[in-house]
Amino acid sequence: MAPRLADYKTGVHNDWCPGCGDFGILNAIQMSLAEMGVARHEAAIFSGIGCSGKTAHFVNVTGIHTLHGRVLPFAQGAALANPGMRIVAVGGDGDGLGIGAGHFVAAGRRNVNMAYIIFDNGVYGLTKGQASPTLKLGTKTKSLPSPNVNYNVNPVGLAVTSGFTFVARAYSYDVRQLKEVIKAAIAHEGLAFVDVLSPCPTYNDVNTRDWYAGEGTGGDGAERHSRIYRLEDTGYDPVVHFAGAAELDEKLGQALARSLEWGERIPTGVFYRNETVTPYGGRIRDQIRNYAENPPALQAIESGGRAITDVSPMLDDLRA
């Protein structure tokens, strides 16, 4: 029997603030798993700290609520221990791009087969609205005593330059596009990153849902239209087809250029996709021949309280 959307929902009470963009991300994750037909026992979701950290409690698959800034090491370990699982890591912009920034960059070097989704609202929502790494310089939200004095991190640009092989941005109130982006990220062979713009209705009174929608008129009296536009509607091609140096430079350059667009025009969709880079699991298989058939998660390690792990096949491969 094919999985249903209801199969991926839990009975855990969701106490996010009314109007939070995170509800859209949660719904999109659940819909993506259902539409892809991913069995619940074949998926795991890892979360960090903050409002988004509760996501692991709301998706009815194996869930692991980890440490502040450390979601990527946990998730990468699980993906390598059991390559047959669909691994999704989630976290906030403060969690992943503040204390977790070092892990973010290092993850790009490995290209582990998994997806990482950041709930990006520009503030530390759970700890009362301090400026997060993605809040723009000079922005003053309701909880800040003065405008933000730090320059912002560019999540999409950082992912592209760090080596992520799938890089996208979506908007939490455009659930249809968000769902398709998440499905593509989960299906991607390699490390996928999705930066989701998710308005915080409690602490970020600047980058609100109305601000993204461009509702109202400006000081010149002209009517404003949505700031969000879809890259796919412009004929943009994010895919690296042949991995030649010229094409690679072109695709990286256009992704970086688009990632800097902000203000009246904000692009969403897939900025960069490159499946010509061997995922980390493939690099391990090149060194350990039986890794795919006998990964760590499937190995028996004890029986009756006695260790029975046999690492001799792995040692034989390394000696060869």
Side-chain angles (χ1 to χ4, degrees), residues 64-174:
I64 301 90
H65 196 162
T66 71
L67 305 175
H68 193 190
R70 313 299 181 219
V71 66
L72 280 175
F74 280 93
Q76 289 174 98
L80 294 173
N82 193 345
M85 293 284 284
R86 297 283 193 175
I87 303 296
V88 178
V90 301
D93 42 314
D95 180 59
L97 299 170
I99 187 173
H103 293 304
F104 186 94
V105 172
R109 299 169 50 225
R110 301 188 184 99
N111 196 35
V112 173
N113 194 21
M114 56 166 282
Y116 180 34
I117 303 169
I118 278 187
F119 296 39
D120 187 353
N121 60 18
V123 295
Y124 287 89
L126 194 65
T127 53
K128 313 311 179 194
Q130 300 92 335
S132 86
T134 60
L135 190 69
K136 303 298 183 284
L137 175 68
T139 301
K140 184 184 183 306
T141 59
K142 63 190 295 185
S143 58
L144 297 180
S146 59
N148 182 29
V149 297
N150 292 314
Y151 194 77
N152 67 286
V153 171
N154 174 356
V156 170
L158 183 62
V160 168
T161 54
S162 296
F164 284 69
T165 52
F166 179 104
V167 182
R169 178 195 286 146
Y171 178 49
S172 61
Y173 279 100
D174 185 355

Side-chain angles (χ1 to χ4, degrees), residues 5 8-9 16 21-36 38 45 55 58-59 88 90 117 119 170-186 194 196:
L5 177 59
Y8 299 93
K9 298 185 177 183
W16 287 336
D22 293 0
F23 286 103
I25 307 174
L26 172 61
N27 291 337
I29 292 172
Q30 293 166 331
M31 288 189 289
S32 296
L33 294 172
E35 291 186 12
M36 295 177 73
V38 178
I45 187 164
T55 306
F58 303 146
V59 182
V88 178
V90 301
I117 303 169
F119 296 39
Y171 178 49
S172 61
Y173 279 100
D174 185 355
V175 177
R176 180 175 298 180
Q177 184 201 33
L178 173 57
K179 176 194 66 176
E180 295 304 319
V181 167
I182 291 176
K183 286 165 60 177
I186 294 174
V194 183
V196 186

Side-chain angles (χ1 to χ4, degrees), residues 1-309:
M1 181 177 177
R4 303 168 302 160
L5 177 59
D7 296 333
Y8 299 93
K9 298 185 177 183
T10 71
V12 178
H13 172 65
N14 190 325
D15 59 357
W16 287 336
C17 301
C20 179
D22 293 0
F23 286 103
I25 307 174
L26 172 61
N27 291 337
I29 292 172
Q30 293 166 331
M31 288 189 289
S32 296
L33 294 172
E35 291 186 12
M36 295 177 73
V38 178
R40 288 176 42 235
H41 68 280
E42 294 178 344
I45 187 164
F46 292 73
S47 64
I49 299 302
C51 299
S52 61
K54 301 175 184 179
T55 306
H57 303 271
F58 303 146
V59 182
N60 195 20
V61 298
T62 299
I64 301 90
H65 196 162
T66 71
L67 305 175
H68 193 190
R70 313 299 181 219
V71 66
L72 280 175
F74 280 93
Q76 289 174 98
L80 294 173
N82 193 345
M85 293 284 284
R86 297 283 193 175
I87 303 296
V88 178
V90 301
D93 42 314
D95 180 59
L97 299 170
I99 187 173
H103 293 304
F104 186 94
V105 172
R109 299 169 50 225
R110 301 188 184 99
N111 196 35
V112 173
N113 194 21
M114 56 166 282
Y116 180 34
I117 303 169
I118 278 187
F119 296 39
D120 187 353
N121 60 18
V123 295
Y124 287 89
L126 194 65
T127 53
K128 313 311 179 194
Q130 300 92 335
S132 86
T134 60
L135 190 69
K136 303 298 183 284
L137 175 68
T139 301
K140 184 184 183 306
T141 59
K142 63 190 295 185
S143 58
L144 297 180
S146 59
N148 182 29
V149 297
N150 292 314
Y151 194 77
N152 67 286
V153 171
N154 174 356
V156 170
L158 183 62
V160 168
T161 54
S162 296
F164 284 69
T165 52
F166 179 104
V167 182
R169 178 195 286 146
Y171 178 49
S172 61
Y173 279 100
D174 185 355
V175 177
R176 180 175 298 180
Q177 184 201 33
L178 173 57
K179 176 194 66 176
E180 295 304 319
V181 167
I182 291 176
K183 286 165 60 177
I186 294 174
H188 176 71
E189 292 294 324
L191 181 59
F193 170 64
V194 183
D195 178 41
V196 186
L197 304 175
S198 180
C200 174
T202 303
Y203 293 111
N204 189 337
D205 57 343
V206 176
N207 307 122
T208 63
R209 183 179 182 180
D210 287 347
W211 183 86
Y212 283 112
E215 294 181 358
T217 58
D220 56 2
E223 184 178 350
R224 299 303 187 212
H225 301 283
S226 177
R227 300 171 190 270
I228 302 291
Y229 76 93
R230 297 181 176 187
L231 287 172
E232 57 264 35
D233 293 340
T234 68
Y236 181 91
D237 180 12
V239 180
V240 175
H241 297 279
F242 305 110
E247 183 194 19
L248 191 58
D249 287 347
E250 176 191 355
K251 298 297 184 180
L252 289 170
Q254 72 174 11
L256 287 171
R258 293 288 184 127
S259 77
L260 294 173
E261 290 185 32
W262 188 265
E264 292 304 313
R265 297 278 285 166
I266 301 173
T268 60
V270 180
F271 287 71
Y272 179 77
R273 188 171 78 214
N274 184 356
E275 290 192 344
T276 68
V277 180
T278 303
Y280 197 76
R283 301 172 204 169
I284 293 178
R285 285 194 295 272
D286 290 341
Q287 298 187 39
I288 303 174
R289 286 170 292 178
N290 70 337
Y291 167 70
E293 297 75 25
N294 191 32
L298 301 185
Q299 297 176 22
I301 60 175
E302 64 87 26
S303 177
R306 182 176 180 181
I308 60 170
T309 302

